[in-house]
Amino acid sequence: MATSPLIHLQIPSHNGHISSTSLFSLSNSVPPLRIQNQHHRWSPLRCSASSNGRPSGPTDKDSERILEEKRRAELAARIASGEFTVPESGWVSLVRTVGGLFSRLTGEDKAQRGPEIPRARGSLAAVGGQAFFLPLYDLFLTYGGIFRLVFGPKSFLIVSDPAIAKHILRDNSKAYSKGILAEILDFVMGKGLIPADGEIWRVRRRAIVPALHQKYVAAMISLFSEASCKLCGNLEKAALDGEDVEMESLFSRLTLDVIGKAVFNYDFDSLTHDNGIVEAVYIVLREAEMRSTAPIPVWEIPIWKDISPRQRKVNEALKLINDTLDDLIGICKKMVEQEDLQFHEEYMNEQDPSILHFLLASGDDVSSKQLRDDLMTMLIAGHETSAAVLTWTFYLLSKEPEVMAKLQEEVDRVLGDCMPTIDDVKKLVYTTRVINESLRLYPQPPVLIRRSMEDDVLGGYPIGKGEDIFISVWNLHRCPKNWTDADKFKPERWPLDGPNPNEINQNFSYLPFGGGPRKCVGDMFATFENVVATAMLVRRFDFQLAPNAPPVEMTTGATIHTTEGLKMTVTRRTRPPIIPNLETKVVSDSQSTSFDQSEIEKLPSKGDQTSEVTAKF
Ligand code: HEM
């Protein structure tokens, strides 16, 4: 799913300091990590690719590291100098003390009692030019697992402590809403499952979760494989023509095609061509991202809505999508009326296994606006996230040839030349660990957003109602206290025979799909989708960063994007031959032929006994 990290920056001038010692002393139960001088041991957070794109030699890596160290050392020095520290003049502190005393005497304002959360000041100079969650990491190392970031009159609590995250997301989740996230996404998701709170959320969650049952997810495997085959067709052509490819946009198309079919049985077919509806989806997505980072919400100005060409375009795109969804709902209703299938727990219409079909067949009593909001929410949630996971996975793989070799070995061994079945996917354990690890290093979204709806205590600090909170999953996933070689891509950290890592078995220091009652409903779907796509691509091709590719740097939208795309050189693999033994299934030698869409039909599925040939010697 996608939760957009929203920062409305209102940047104050920097002046005044208090000593960092006094700041540290404010913190009690969540002590700040005083480990700044370890910075030099960590590889770049802002991950620049080598300029020649090939596996970079020591010189490239060294210069990357030196630049990164310099950036971090400068930021650390600025943090230490107090530039980010909120000054408190004598009279402010006096007023605070008197006010606090008065509140205590009258029993009001409970949240003001107790120690105060460490404060840091937001600065455009630090945030500008890079993804906003990067400076939050540096500030976390200084101020600890919870601190207040002040932007002029606004402030946010930044949480990077697993116990506090667990408290907000799970133990006391009913005290927190989606806050600014719901406000910003209202134009596109309305009261859909991601932004919804309270009773609407409870009712819709109860209706939607059963639709993603095991049989449905298993049925989706062939959808994932077919879409991945189509992408292989595109890559094959590029490989033959010797053209580099921009993988981020291709992954975005792949996951759009998948989610359209999976959620409401609509074939966007965006891997083959662009059409109006694909363009409309992207206009709306970009608008959501723009709104999540815009300094001024111009779209709320009444006249602006009507005269701004951009807003008019957005409204037209939304109308097209809504009309299309209404048509699809109408078609699906007719199908449901005409079918004799009995509804049951694992109900699924073979021709149309979509979530929409399940919801209508279940007799879900819902207004068409709410249904559209939910469909739109799942479209966005399931599309951007998976595209980002694949993008960063392939970036990481291009940097670690040894991991790639291990991955390809597993895929060759488990899949051979067959289309994957659910049983194969379960055997792709190393591939799954690669995805687990990619999600650790590049969590999508990097930040979860909440607003307190009542007074609470976080990490020993009282907080009041109405606090906007960012849970930095990025910080949790890279905290050097919780992870050895925190910034290293090491799928081996997750034992192959161990459980699939999740927030429960990692005690909320790993939150790839959130946690608590608002945990992602599509976690299994998404994991299988990413495993299948990765496996199908790496068994056919080798991937390297393209020569002259722009540096691969991060920027924030709803998920982590690259700033200039992920340009890669794709080459057809010359795989070691699979030596047949008595049990080996022999299939067409697709390595020697050019791969195209028609090969989807030719490739046997392992469940398809008629297409298997057993080699005999
Ligand atoms: C790799 C892909 C995905 C990732 C990383 C991901 C991540 C997440 C995360 C972190 C949350 C929790 C947000 C929060 O607590 O604020 C979430 C919620 C959600 N996700 Fe996903 N998601 C993915 C794929 C999907 C897919 C494929 C679907 C739908 C089929 C989906 C639907 C949702 C929905 C509806 C929610 C809101 C649940 C609620 O609030 O009750 N996600 N997702």
Side-chain angles (χ1 to χ4, degrees):
M1 120 64 209
T3 312
S4 189
L6 314 152
I7 285 196
H8 289 258
L9 295 172
Q10 287 154 9
I11 307 304
S13 61
H14 321 132
N15 50 21
H17 313 287
I18 60 170
S19 77
S20 40
T21 333
S22 60
L23 255 179
F24 288 145
S25 62
L26 289 172
S27 143
N28 60 359
S29 67
V30 189
L33 296 163
R34 297 177 206 199
I35 44 182
Q36 287 170 55
N37 22 1
Q38 288 179 14
H39 280 190
H40 64 278
R41 288 204 279 118
W42 303 335
S43 70
L45 282 172
R46 193 176 180 199
C47 35
S48 299
S50 62
S51 55
N52 66 11
R54 302 288 167 195
S56 44
T59 327
D60 285 346
K61 275 200 169 161
D62 284 353
S63 57
E64 256 178 41
R65 204 177 48 243
I66 290 163
L67 275 176
E68 181 55 25
E69 274 169 14
K70 190 163 166 276
R71 186 191 74 77
R72 300 193 67 155
E74 280 167 9
L75 185 57
R78 289 169 59 197
I79 291 171
S81 78
E83 182 178 331
F84 292 88
T85 301
V86 176
E88 197 157 10
S89 65
W91 68 268
V92 170
S93 135
L94 183 68
V95 169
R96 197 189 292 284
T97 314
V98 173
L101 272 174
F102 182 73
S103 302
R104 268 170 233 195
L105 285 173
T106 57
E108 284 173 12
D109 201 6
K110 278 185 281 174
Q112 289 299 314
R113 284 187 223 150
E116 255 214 63
I117 296 175
R119 293 175 154 231
R121 190 209 298 274
S123 152
L124 189 56
V127 179
Q130 62 182 314
F132 80 92
F133 52 85
L134 295 181
L136 293 189
Y137 182 78
D138 295 273
L139 290 165
F140 150 58
L141 296 179
T142 303
Y143 295 104
I146 179 164
F147 64 92
R148 184 180 295 285
L149 186 61
V150 183
F151 287 101
K154 260 203 99 56
S155 82
F156 300 87
L157 294 182
I158 311 296
V159 169
S160 317
D161 178 89
I164 303 177
K166 192 203 269 179
H167 177 84
I168 297 170
L169 295 177
R170 197 186 72 179
D171 300 342
N172 198 23
S173 62
K174 61 174 190 339
Y176 294 87
S177 73
K178 290 289 180 102
I180 39 178
L181 182 79
E183 289 158 14
I184 299 261
L185 292 181
D186 182 64
F187 84 104
V188 52
M189 294 188 188
K191 297 273 177 283
L193 201 54
I194 286 180
D197 282 311
E199 194 50 24
I200 295 183
W201 169 77
R202 243 184 306 284
V203 170
R204 296 315 298 151
R205 174 113 187 167
R206 224 177 285 140
I208 289 170
V209 167
L212 288 109
H213 53 71
Q214 290 212 8
K215 190 170 158 204
Y216 165 80
V217 176
M220 291 297 108
I221 302 287
S222 55
L223 173 62
F224 304 153
S225 317
E226 284 166 26
S228 306
C229 269
K230 224 180 217 179
L231 176 54
C232 284
N234 292 7
L235 296 181
E236 181 72 25
K237 189 169 175 318
L240 284 175
D241 297 348
E243 278 173 12
D244 294 331
V245 278
E246 202 288 279
M247 292 301 295
E248 187 172 28
S249 61
L250 285 177
F251 285 137
S252 176
R253 287 162 185 269
L254 170 80
T255 57
L256 180 62
D257 289 357
V258 165
I259 205 76
K261 285 292 281 180
V263 174
F264 38 73
N265 194 30
Y266 184 79
D267 190 2
F268 284 105
D269 200 13
S270 69
L271 275 166
T272 313
H273 59 270
D274 278 323
N275 56 34
I277 185 81
V278 172
E279 206 185 310
V281 169
Y282 283 111
I283 289 174
V284 169
L285 283 174
R286 297 293 84 88
E287 179 68 10
E289 293 190 340
M290 186 283 285
R291 290 187 183 197
S292 70
T293 48
I296 304 164
V298 281
W299 56 90
E300 279 173 11
I301 304 168
I303 302 166
W304 185 262
K305 273 189 220 162
D306 306 318
I307 58 163
S308 150
R310 182 185 172 112
Q311 291 311 312
R312 278 220 306 270
K313 239 176 139 182
V314 171
N315 292 339
E316 281 163 18
L318 273 172
K319 182 165 178 343
L320 179 60
I321 299 170
N322 285 338
D323 289 350
T324 310
L325 287 178
D326 282 342
D327 288 349
L328 291 168
I329 293 170
I331 294 168
C332 192
K333 272 189 178 150
K334 284 209 183 91
M335 277 180 85
V336 170
E337 277 160 21
Q338 284 161 11
E339 76 192 11
D340 325 313
L341 275 174
Q342 199 62 32
F343 186 79
H344 58 101
E345 219 179 45
E346 292 226 312
Y347 164 92
M348 199 180 76
N349 179 303
E350 300 287 338
Q351 273 85 52
D352 171 12
S354 68
I355 294 176
L356 171 62
H357 202 113
F358 179 98
L359 291 175
L360 292 177
S362 72
D364 186 21
D365 181 21
V366 63
S367 71
S368 45
K369 160 87 171 83
Q370 180 64 52
L371 192 52
R372 264 196 280 129
D373 285 351
D374 288 329
L375 297 177
M376 193 70 177
T377 299
M378 281 186 276
L379 171 72
I380 296 177
H383 164 230
E384 289 273 273
T385 43
S386 284
V389 173
L390 288 168
T391 301
W392 292 105
T393 301
F394 276 72
Y395 169 74
L396 289 165
L397 288 170
S398 74
K399 292 284 196 178
E400 297 292 342
E402 280 174 23
V403 175
M404 180 61 121
K406 245 173 120 170
L407 176 65
Q408 286 176 325
E409 186 281 320
E410 179 183 80
V411 172
D412 292 351
R413 181 165 37 79
V414 174
L415 291 188
D417 276 335
C418 294
M419 293 288 265
T421 64
I422 181 83
D423 289 336
D424 296 328
V425 176
K426 288 179 185 160
K427 284 184 209 143
L428 290 170
V429 195
Y430 188 72
T431 316
T432 310
R433 297 291 172 261
V434 166
I435 300 299
N436 300 144
E437 181 68 347
S438 165
L439 267 166
R440 186 184 68 81
L441 285 172
Y442 295 93
Q444 313 292 348
V447 164
L448 302 179
I449 295 169
R450 293 293 186 273
R451 179 177 290 154
S452 57
M453 296 195 296
E454 50 191 64
D455 293 353
D456 197 3
V457 177
L458 296 182
Y461 298 109
I463 66 152
K465 181 178 167 183
E467 291 277 13
D468 283 316
I469 300 170
F470 288 180
I471 299 173
S472 172
V473 186
W474 177 276
N475 290 355
L476 286 164
H477 285 194
R478 297 213 180 210
C479 172
K481 211 171 72 173
N482 293 334
W483 307 94
T484 321
D485 291 335
D487 60 339
K488 211 168 175 310
F489 179 49
K490 253 179 36 183
E492 290 71 19
R493 77 174 69 243
W494 311 107
L496 291 185
D497 56 357
N500 198 44
N502 61 30
E503 78 286 3
I504 308 287
N505 56 35
Q506 300 303 310
N507 209 9
F508 278 71
S509 55
Y510 180 65
L511 295 177
F513 294 103
R518 310 274 330 222
K519 184 177 173 173
C520 180
V521 300
D523 56 344
M524 192 166 49
F525 176 110
T527 305
F528 286 170
E529 178 187 17
N530 287 312
V531 166
V532 169
T534 303
M536 303 251 326
L537 262 58
V538 303
R539 84 164 160 192
R540 230 158 259 288
F541 303 101
D542 285 316
F543 293 83
Q544 288 176 316
L545 290 170
N548 311 318
V552 183
E553 293 185 357
M554 290 178 282
T555 178
T556 330
T559 52
I560 309 174
H561 293 285
T562 68
T563 47
E564 294 180 72
L566 179 67
K567 210 168 163 203
M568 300 194 104
T569 302
V570 180
T571 41
R572 196 75 153 78
R573 274 181 73 203
T574 43
R575 267 190 288 158
I578 299 171
I579 314 250
N581 62 30
L582 280 179
E583 292 311 312
T584 307
K585 294 163 213 150
V586 176
V587 293
S588 61
D589 179 15
S590 54
Q591 290 169 68
S592 55
T593 56
S594 155
F595 182 78
D596 65 23
Q597 183 51 25
S598 62
E599 284 196 40
I600 297 172
E601 277 82 49
K602 278 193 247 150
L603 284 173
S605 148
K606 283 201 171 163
D608 177 7
Q609 298 299 319
T610 55
S611 57
E612 288 176 12
V613 180
T614 305
K616 298 224 186 305
F617 290 91

